[in-house]
């Protein structure tokens, strides 16, 4: 089977990997599409021991299995289904989980992979393979974070820092969930232009910092953006922190010290959010469709990653076949 090996420093090699064999409770999935994610730039830069790729749509490919042929997407946390968190529906926070698909176990930049059956989410007929991966990070992660934030702030002016796939996904979900007007900060013209087409207004970081927003979504994963978020959040407003990076180094200023605000951090989403998230996809299908702006097969994955890393693509797909 062909799979992508990330050697680091942006070098991707397509190797002949051993055919994956499903263990107990697992099934073989043939990859139809795997969306590139900003978090994959970490393995792309550093190299990674297992096959990356965690926004996977495919088909169960196991003759004789009751789910053979079913169209699925893959929920990445390998949850136990029994612990305190799983029992409360917080499968993404499973106490027993040690593995994420595409991080600690092999993921979707390959022709096939094995997946614990519990992590399969059935894809309805009206959702094509090229849109299905968006139900994971782009919709799942953003909608879960915004639902948490809505416990604190109902609606009102919002600011999105970083107009990558998560930031753009957040703009679509925010508008759908009653927030607005929405401002956005992103230095890349292609991205901020796309945000404008979704109804957001590009502003400078300086203007944003003075904004006093009800909700600030930090989707850039950079300290500069976190600093702006801390300045920009209004009294009793909330910051939703979704961006990832290795270390934080922030400066407490007077305007941050003399303020009441809430900080919400969230990771992925509970598996039970899937049905309402399908409705979010259906409600804004045209917008989500435009996010998927390129596709390549395994032989062109290296090129696709390079242009993704340069910020030229939003949510491109690997389509192995
Ligand atoms: Zn991701
Ligand atoms: Zn659990």
């Amino acid at each position: 089977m062909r799979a992508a090996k990330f050697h680091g420093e942006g070098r991707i090699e397509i190797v002949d990997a051993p055919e994956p064999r499903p263990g107990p409770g697992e099934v073989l999935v043939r990859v139809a599409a795997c969306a590139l994610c900003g978090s994959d730039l970490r393995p792309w830069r550093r190299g990674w021991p297992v096959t990356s790729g965690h926004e996977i749509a495919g088909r169960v490919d196991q003759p004789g299995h009751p789910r053979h042929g079913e169209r699925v997407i893959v929920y990445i946390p390998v949850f136990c289904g029994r612990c305190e968190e799983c029992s409360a529906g917080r499968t993404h926070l499973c106490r027993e989980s040690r593995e994420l698909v595409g991080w600690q176990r092999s993921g979707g930049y390959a022709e096939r992979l094995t997946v614990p059956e519990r992590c399969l989410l059935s894809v309805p007929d009206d959702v094509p393979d090229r849109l299905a991966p968006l139900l994971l990070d782009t919709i799942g992660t953003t909608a879960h974070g915004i639902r948490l934030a809505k416990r604190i702030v109902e609606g009102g002016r919002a600011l999105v820092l970083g107009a990558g796939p998560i930031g753009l996904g957040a703009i679509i979900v925010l508008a759908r969930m009653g927030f607005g007007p929405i401002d956005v900060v992103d230095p890349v013209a292609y991205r901020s232009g796309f945000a404008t087409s979704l109804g957001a207004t590009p502003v400078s970081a300086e203007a944003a910092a003075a904004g006093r927003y009800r909700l600030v979504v930090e989707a850039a994963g950079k300290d500069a953006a976190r600093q702006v978020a801390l300045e920009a959040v209004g009294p009793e407003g909330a910051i939703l922190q979704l961006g990832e990076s290795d270390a934080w180094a922030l400066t407490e200023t007077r305007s941050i010290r003399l303020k009441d605000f809430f900080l919400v951090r969230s990771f992925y989403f509970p598996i039970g959010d899937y049905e309402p998230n399908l409705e979010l996809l259906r409600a804004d299908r045209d917008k989500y469709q435009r996010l998927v702006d390129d596709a390549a097969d395994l032989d062109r994955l290296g090129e696709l990653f390079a242009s993704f890393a340069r910020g030229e693509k939003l949510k491109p797909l690997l389509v192995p076949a």
Side-chain angles (χ1 to χ4, degrees), residues 79-87 91 93-97:
F79 61 103
C80 76
R82 296 176 308 270
C83 73
E84 194 185 327
E85 298 301 338
C86 285
S87 303
T91 49
L93 306 180
C94 174
R95 302 281 283 264
E96 302 300 321
S97 175

Side-chain angles (χ1 to χ4, degrees), residues 258-276:
L258 304 181
K259 179 154 63 182
D260 295 351
F261 67 93
F262 298 89
L263 177 62
V264 179
R265 170 72 197 176
S266 78
F267 162 74
Y268 215 54
F269 62 96
I271 202 165
D273 281 5
Y274 185 52
E275 284 299 323

Side-chain angles (χ1 to χ4, degrees), residues 24-185:
E26 296 181 349
V27 293
L28 191 65
V29 169
R30 182 160 41 87
V31 178
C34 184
L36 275 62
C37 177
S39 64
D40 290 328
L41 294 175
R42 232 182 322 148
W44 181 75
R45 290 189 181 110
R46 287 187 199 164
W48 212 253
V50 300
T51 307
S52 297
H54 58 270
E55 300 187 33
I56 306 162
R59 273 173 196 60
V60 177
D61 188 10
Q62 205 166 314
H65 192 280
R67 298 182 75 168
H68 176 66
E70 187 177 324
R71 297 178 60 238
V72 292
I73 53 175
V74 177
Y75 185 75
I76 65 171
V78 180
F79 61 103
C80 76
R82 296 176 308 270
C83 73
E84 194 185 327
E85 298 301 338
C86 285
S87 303
R90 293 186 286 265
T91 49
H92 58 307
L93 306 180
C94 174
R95 302 281 283 264
E96 302 300 321
S97 175
R98 300 284 178 271
E99 287 188 321
L100 299 172
V101 176
W103 292 99
Q104 287 77 34
R105 59 181 288 152
S106 288
Y109 296 138
E111 290 177 318
R112 286 176 287 281
L113 75 159
T114 59
V115 178
E117 206 181 328
R118 188 179 287 131
C119 295
L120 300 177
L121 290 165
S122 194
V123 176
D125 290 343
D126 65 317
V127 178
D129 289 339
R130 67 190 310 267
L131 278 185
L134 299 186
L135 288 159
L136 300 166
D137 292 28
T138 309
I139 298 176
T141 300
T142 57
H144 172 56
I146 293 166
R147 286 184 186 112
L148 287 179
K150 274 180 79 81
R151 296 187 195 176
I152 299 159
V153 289
E154 265 305 300
R157 282 185 75 209
L159 170 68
V160 175
L161 298 164
I166 292 283
L168 294 170
I171 290 169
I172 301 171
V173 174
L174 283 168
R176 181 58 52 190
M177 292 193 181
F179 286 87
I182 302 168
D183 289 349
V184 63
V185 178

